[in-house]
Amino acid sequence: HSDGEGYVIRIPDGRFIIFDGGYSGRDRVYKTLRRLEEGNITIAAWIISHPHTDHFGTLMNEYKQFTKFNFERIMVNFWPEAAFETAKSTTASFAEGQYKNYNKTVSVAKEIGVDYVVPHVGQVWWFGDTAFEILYTLDSYLPKVATGFNTSSIVFRSTTTNASGKSTTAIITGDATGH
C-alpha cells in the first residue's frame, strides 16, 4: 500500500509549496514541515493535482493542524459539474464520493481562511524567486470526455533562479496519463 503522492518544496524565501500530500492519517506532511522548520512556517500554496484520495486526503482530513501555520492559498482545478456527469456515465472509474470530497477543498479553504485559486494553462505563479508555470489542467482536455481523474492532473514546471543566475527546474505531473 502506497502513501500516495506528496511533495514538500521549500522555496528560497523560506516558504513552502505542498503538492498533493498523500493519504491522511500519518501526519507526514506536518512532521516534514516541522522537521524542516522549527520556527514560523508559511505555506505559500497547497496544490492539489486531481481528485484521488491518495493525493488530497491529507489536506481534506488533516487541514486543522495546518491552521497553526501562515497559510496563503489552496490551488485546485475543479471538474465542472456537466463534465463530471458526462464522464461518470461513460466509465466506471469515477467515484462520486471522491468528486464531492474534492469540491470540499473550497469549504476547507474558507474554513481556514485562505484563498483558493483555480490555475489555468499558461499562467505563471511567482512565489518569491520561484516560478510555477501551469502546463496542463483539465481545461486542456475538455470538452472531450476525460476517462479518469488522472487525466485531470495539474502539471506544472517549477523554476527557481538563485542570486548567481543559476536555474533549477522540475516538472511535477501528478498522475497525468498523457491522453
Side-chain angles (χ1 to χ4, degrees), residues 122-137:
Q123 289 180 327
V124 178
W125 291 85
W126 284 91
F127 302 101
D129 294 335
T130 303
F132 283 80
E133 179 185 2
I134 308 301
L135 303 175
Y136 180 92
T137 66

Side-chain angles (χ1 to χ4, degrees), residues 97-123:
Q98 287 187 342
Y99 172 74
K100 287 178 181 175
N101 283 337
Y102 187 59
N103 279 330
K104 286 182 187 175
T105 57
V106 174
S107 298
V108 166
K110 288 179 182 177
E111 184 175 335
I112 61 178
V114 301
D115 292 332
Y116 67 92
V117 178
V118 179
H120 299 283
V121 172
Q123 289 180 327

Side-chain angles (χ1 to χ4, degrees), residues 47-155:
I47 303 167
I48 301 296
S49 66
H50 67 286
H52 276 144
T53 54
D54 61 328
H55 293 264
F56 74 94
T58 294
L59 178 62
M60 291 305 305
N61 297 307
E62 298 176 18
Y63 68 90
K64 289 185 181 183
Q65 66 184 338
F66 298 102
T67 60
K68 302 170 189 167
F69 305 146
N70 299 315
F71 198 147
E72 297 174 0
R73 71 190 50 81
I74 295 172
M75 300 176 80
V76 296
N77 192 267
F78 294 102
W79 278 67
E81 188 75 32
F84 174 75
E85 290 303 322
T86 301
K88 189 173 73 169
S89 69
T90 61
T91 179
S93 70
F94 289 87
E96 192 165 337
Q98 287 187 342
Y99 172 74
K100 287 178 181 175
N101 283 337
Y102 187 59
N103 279 330
K104 286 182 187 175
T105 57
V106 174
S107 298
V108 166
K110 288 179 182 177
E111 184 175 335
I112 61 178
V114 301
D115 292 332
Y116 67 92
V117 178
V118 179
H120 299 283
V121 172
Q123 289 180 327
V124 178
W125 291 85
W126 284 91
F127 302 101
D129 294 335
T130 303
F132 283 80
E133 179 185 2
I134 308 301
L135 303 175
Y136 180 92
T137 66
L138 180 61
D139 302 339
S140 306
Y141 206 81
L142 297 175
K144 299 174 192 172
V145 174
T147 57
F149 283 126
N150 289 349
T151 307
S152 69
S153 290
I154 294 172
V155 176

